[in-house]
Amino acid sequence: MANERHYSAADRLLLQADAALRTLLPFSGKPYRPSPAQSEPETQLDAGQARHVAGLMRVNHTGEVCAQALYQGQSLTARLPQVRGAMEQAANEEVDHLAWCEQRIRELDSRPSLLNPLFYGLSFGIGAAAGLISDRVSLGFVAATEDQVCKHLDDHLGQLPEEDRKSRAILEQMRIDERQHAATALEAGGLHFPAPVKFGMSLLSKVMTKTTYRI
């Protein structure tokens, strides 16, 4: 398009720095959609239930921090403009998840993980490296990552107290969105990763889950 703006390398680095700050600073991510929890009633959880749900939501929040970093890294190194645009659009949609999870964590009198800056940096590097290899690998990594996220969401939905409809509404909508992101990445030409690669990604995901549940 004639009126499309073309960013310099310096512009893109500044945009990436802004995205990192908006991801990591408290309440800096503004959702595009209202939280699904808004229409659900608040229920009283006992102290143990509240701690457990807060831990689960903290894990999911860190997962969204990783997703933001992954997409930002990929958009920085993607070769085809349409792939870069797809990465940026996916990152925008993940902002909703990030904000919803943080809001629910605060409602449970808890806080996001202190390890978020570390996981952001690692995920950004992985995303940028995938984009440097090829757009097909980059898109395949998105699909494989979203598959892992959906498995976590299914597990967490099974652990939520039945009466916690607010957290459930958030995770169910996240699962719908993540499945769509995975399908879109594959339809755009993403590589189907072999089982050993997915297994390695699963191990890394478990490290993130175990650490951020409490820290």
Side-chain angles (χ1 to χ4, degrees):
M1 295 179 62
N3 60 349
E4 182 180 357
R5 182 175 178 181
H6 296 281
Y7 292 102
S8 68
D11 289 334
R12 288 200 161 275
L13 287 175
L14 288 173
L15 288 171
Q16 297 299 335
D18 177 68
L21 289 174
R22 285 188 287 108
T23 299
L24 295 172
L25 293 177
F27 295 112
S28 54
K30 302 299 181 183
Y32 296 89
R33 297 170 292 175
S35 172
Q38 286 185 4
S39 59
E40 298 295 341
E42 185 63 81
T43 54
Q44 189 65 39
L45 303 175
D46 64 40
Q49 288 176 322
R51 281 195 302 272
H52 181 54
V53 174
L56 296 179
M57 297 306 290
R58 184 160 42 248
V59 169
N60 291 312
H61 182 267
T62 298
E64 296 307 320
V65 168
C66 292
Q68 282 290 309
L70 179 68
Y71 289 135
Q72 294 298 337
Q74 289 170 319
S75 71
L76 185 67
T77 57
R79 292 169 174 78
L80 298 177
Q82 62 268 29
V83 174
R84 183 181 299 117
M87 295 299 99
E88 291 170 348
Q89 177 61 31
N92 288 338
E93 293 172 355
E94 298 286 358
V95 169
D96 289 346
H97 303 170
L98 191 72
W100 298 345
C101 287
E102 181 174 3
Q103 180 181 6
R104 187 60 182 147
I105 290 170
R106 302 295 185 183
E107 290 171 352
L108 294 164
D109 295 323
S110 193
R111 51 152 181 78
S113 174
L114 299 175
L115 300 176
N116 281 346
L118 171 63
F119 284 112
Y120 185 97
L122 290 173
S123 298
F124 185 92
I126 291 172
L132 284 172
I133 295 172
S134 75
D135 287 334
R136 191 168 178 230
V137 168
S138 183
L139 289 167
F141 200 87
V142 169
T145 299
E146 298 293 21
D147 283 344
Q148 291 294 325
V149 171
C150 286
K151 290 178 182 178
H152 278 300
L153 291 172
D154 286 338
D155 178 54
H156 290 182
L157 282 165
Q159 295 186 50
L160 287 178
E162 191 63 34
E163 61 268 32
D164 185 6
R165 291 165 58 182
K166 282 186 172 292
S167 299
R168 187 171 301 278
I170 293 171
L171 298 191
E172 286 177 345
Q173 184 59 53
M174 286 172 61
R175 181 173 59 181
I176 292 171
D177 294 344
E178 306 296 9
R179 284 177 175 170
Q180 183 58 52
H181 292 166
T184 299
L186 292 176
E187 290 168 2
L191 183 69
H192 287 269
F193 282 10
V197 174
K198 289 186 176 181
F199 178 73
M201 292 175 65
S202 177
L203 292 179
L204 291 174
S205 178
K206 287 180 180 178
V207 171
M208 183 272 286
T209 300
K210 296 295 184 183
T211 55
T212 57
Y213 178 80
R214 297 187 184 281
I215 302 175

